Amino acid sequence: MTTSTNGVFDRRPLIAGNWKMNLDHVQAITFLQKLAWTLDDANHDFGRVEVSVFPPFTDLRGVQTLVKGDDLPVVYGGQDLSPHESGAYTGDISGQFLKRLGCAYVLVGHSERRTLHAESDELLNTKVHAAYRHDLVPVLCVGEGLEIRQAGTHVEHTLEQLRRGVAGLDAGQAARLVVAYEPVWAIGTGEVAGPQDAQEMCAAIRAELGELFDGDTAAKIRLLYGGSVKAANAGSILKERDVDGVLVGGASLDVSEFASIVRFEQHLVTG
Ligand SMILES: O=C[C@H](O)COP(=O)(O)O
């Protein structure tokens, strides 16, 4: 089964918008209302293609109130979490807090956390486990920098991040996992890994997950691509067999652009 020719997906596609440090708690409400109206007007089938946003922590209470109050079919998550439950960890946010705010997902190991906050694979593995303790689905981000890509060792580098990130999970946990492949050289740069590059890495990730767990489990795990995704390229990336969604940064801050990515099936070549 492929995603390109018959509109049937092996896994439910997930279109995720990572707002990073953009949109304050007032802007978040306006943005989300507009997004929901736009998708409603377009008769978007949320059951078919899942839509998630990752707002800053300070927006989450407002987002929760809006989503609950207006019964919006959008899900949301935190951009990071602490590996700890509570205590003297100034500035950190626990998985318990995120769960109580209605989060379904949490990003773990986004490249900006890995590089700007020196987060190691070992730390990220403890965050993955913390997410499961609070019934949050981790979106584990992996991917190589430019030098590694140019050296041709990007697959092994990314698989090593994956192995360390998922260490100690059981198959039941792994089946719910989401992995986002984000080549660092393509983030916020306008450079996009080609659909074949995204497929090559996602296929390698799925094969590795099959080795680490089992084939049935690996077949359930959703793999996203992230890095300069826009409406104009989302369709071609999402045609690839092992790409189950996209993690969108800059383009997720524009309602019509993000809604158009969510409606990527409109851009798929069928037949
Ligand atoms: O989390 C999203 C990624 O960092 C991609 O960001 P971007 O779409 O602005 O390149």
Side-chain angles (χ1 to χ4, degrees):
M1 192 189 304
T2 70
T3 58
S4 58
T5 55
N6 57 12
V8 175
F9 293 87
D10 293 325
R11 294 156 289 273
R12 183 184 176 206
L14 170 60
I15 308 299
N18 175 12
W19 296 356
K20 308 190 177 183
M21 199 171 72
N22 296 290
L23 303 179
D24 67 27
H25 70 288
V26 177
Q27 295 168 320
I29 300 307
T30 311
F31 181 94
L32 211 48
Q33 279 172 328
K34 276 192 197 158
L35 179 64
W37 291 332
T38 304
L39 290 173
D40 195 45
D41 281 352
N43 291 321
H44 178 64
D45 182 351
F46 288 86
R48 177 170 173 75
V49 176
E50 187 176 15
V51 180
S52 177
V53 293
F54 291 85
F57 290 134
T58 48
D59 296 2
L60 287 172
R61 177 61 174 153
V63 166
Q64 178 187 36
T65 304
L66 176 65
V67 166
K68 261 178 111 171
D70 289 6
D71 201 17
L72 302 185
V74 174
V75 293
Y76 53 92
Q79 295 179 10
D80 182 36
L81 85 168
S82 169
H84 306 289
E85 304 302 304
S86 63
Y89 303 103
T90 301
D92 289 353
I93 300 291
S94 80
Q96 183 193 351
F97 300 167
L98 295 178
K99 192 66 194 176
R100 291 205 63 187
L101 286 164
C103 289
Y105 294 104
V106 62
L107 299 181
V108 176
H110 187 279
S111 67
E112 286 146 22
R113 300 295 313 177
R114 290 178 186 266
T115 54
L116 302 177
H117 299 268
E119 296 196 353
S120 67
D121 288 321
E122 290 66 31
L123 172 66
L124 297 174
N125 178 249
T126 64
K127 292 189 176 197
V128 165
H129 284 274
Y132 283 110
R133 280 201 300 279
H134 296 288
D135 195 27
L136 296 162
V137 172
V139 178
L140 175 65
C141 303
V142 294
E144 81 285 354
L146 186 57
E147 282 182 12
I148 291 168
R149 166 66 62 158
Q150 287 171 336
T153 53
H154 50 288
V155 175
E156 187 43 44
H157 172 88
T158 300
L159 295 185
E160 183 61 16
Q161 288 181 328
L162 177 74
R163 283 189 287 270
R164 293 179 182 217
V166 303
L169 295 186
D170 62 39
Q173 291 172 319
R176 300 170 56 215
L177 179 70
V178 177
V179 178
Y181 168 57
E182 298 206 302
V184 180
W185 48 272
I187 294 177
T189 60
E191 295 289 327
V192 191
Q196 293 83 3
D197 294 322
Q199 168 59 22
E200 174 203 38
M201 189 65 83
C202 287
I205 290 172
R206 198 175 306 286
E208 184 67 20
L209 290 166
E211 294 292 320
L212 292 170
F213 300 100
D214 58 77
D216 286 350
T217 299
K220 291 179 184 147
I221 298 174
R222 288 183 296 176
L223 307 182
L224 315 185
Y225 167 78
S228 298
V229 172
K230 304 198 170 15
N233 57 31
S236 61
I237 294 166
L238 283 154
K239 272 196 316 189
E240 298 296 335
R241 182 187 182 111
D242 285 291
V243 182
D244 306 309
V246 284
L247 180 57
V248 187
S252 76
L253 301 171
D254 179 310
V255 169
S256 62
E257 183 76 10
F258 188 61
S260 189
I261 295 171
V262 169
R263 308 268 301 144
F264 69 91
E265 287 178 286
Q266 308 304 306
H267 318 302
L268 288 180
V269 179
T270 56

